[in-house]
Amino acid sequence: QDHVCSLPKVPFRGAPCSDAAGSQVPYATIMKQVNSSLSGVLWDEVQKAPFYEYKDSVGQFHQVWFDDPHSISLKAAYVKSRGLRGIGMWNGNSLDYSREAVAEQQTQAMWKALTP
């Protein structure tokens, strides 16, 4: 209910909580799974990022954080407003490059969001 999900402390470059404790999920999987999740899309105002929660087939609770066009555009606008030299996106090949119409729209929206 409080949307707090604890990760095990896995050492990674001195940080107590890192990507070493979780796993990456392709954007296509996220877009299909979020609609059937327990929570639907939730928004974290501090991180300016969406996330959702679900239980797997054995009842294990999971929380998935991701970027979408809205969160990417906020980050790109921040970079621009600060006069920074650019922005990077983690693993753009995880987007859905299939020929499905919805996937094409989602992928185009993600790339467009990088240029505020």
Side-chain angles (χ1 to χ4, degrees):
Q1 287 180 322
D2 57 5
H3 306 294
V4 173
C5 184
S6 298
L7 292 174
K9 290 184 179 185
V10 177
F12 179 74
R13 297 183 186 156
C17 184
S18 72
D19 62 346
S23 60
Q24 185 170 316
V25 179
Y27 194 69
T29 302
I30 290 170
M31 291 295 95
K32 290 176 182 163
Q33 193 176 52
V34 70
N35 293 328
S36 61
S37 68
L38 293 171
S39 63
V41 177
L42 301 169
W43 180 261
D44 183 87
E45 191 57 38
V46 174
Q47 300 296 322
K48 304 286 189 221
F51 67 100
Y52 65 94
E53 300 164 337
Y54 74 95
K55 283 188 182 178
D56 63 21
S57 60
V58 295
Q60 180 71 35
F61 179 79
H62 298 270
Q63 192 174 73
V64 179
W65 289 74
F66 61 101
D67 274 309
D68 63 6
H70 178 63
S71 63
I72 292 279
S73 66
L74 291 172
K75 292 167 186 169
Y78 177 84
V79 166
K80 187 175 183 178
S81 74
R82 298 286 193 253
L84 302 175
R85 292 187 169 250
I87 187 170
M89 182 173 66
W90 180 258
N91 221 346
N93 65 348
S94 288
L95 295 173
D96 189 347
Y97 292 102
S98 68
R99 301 279 177 170
E100 295 177 23
V102 171
E104 285 183 349
Q105 290 172 348
Q106 291 169 344
T107 298
Q108 288 174 3
M110 286 291 276
W111 285 111
K112 185 177 179 183
L114 286 169
T115 54

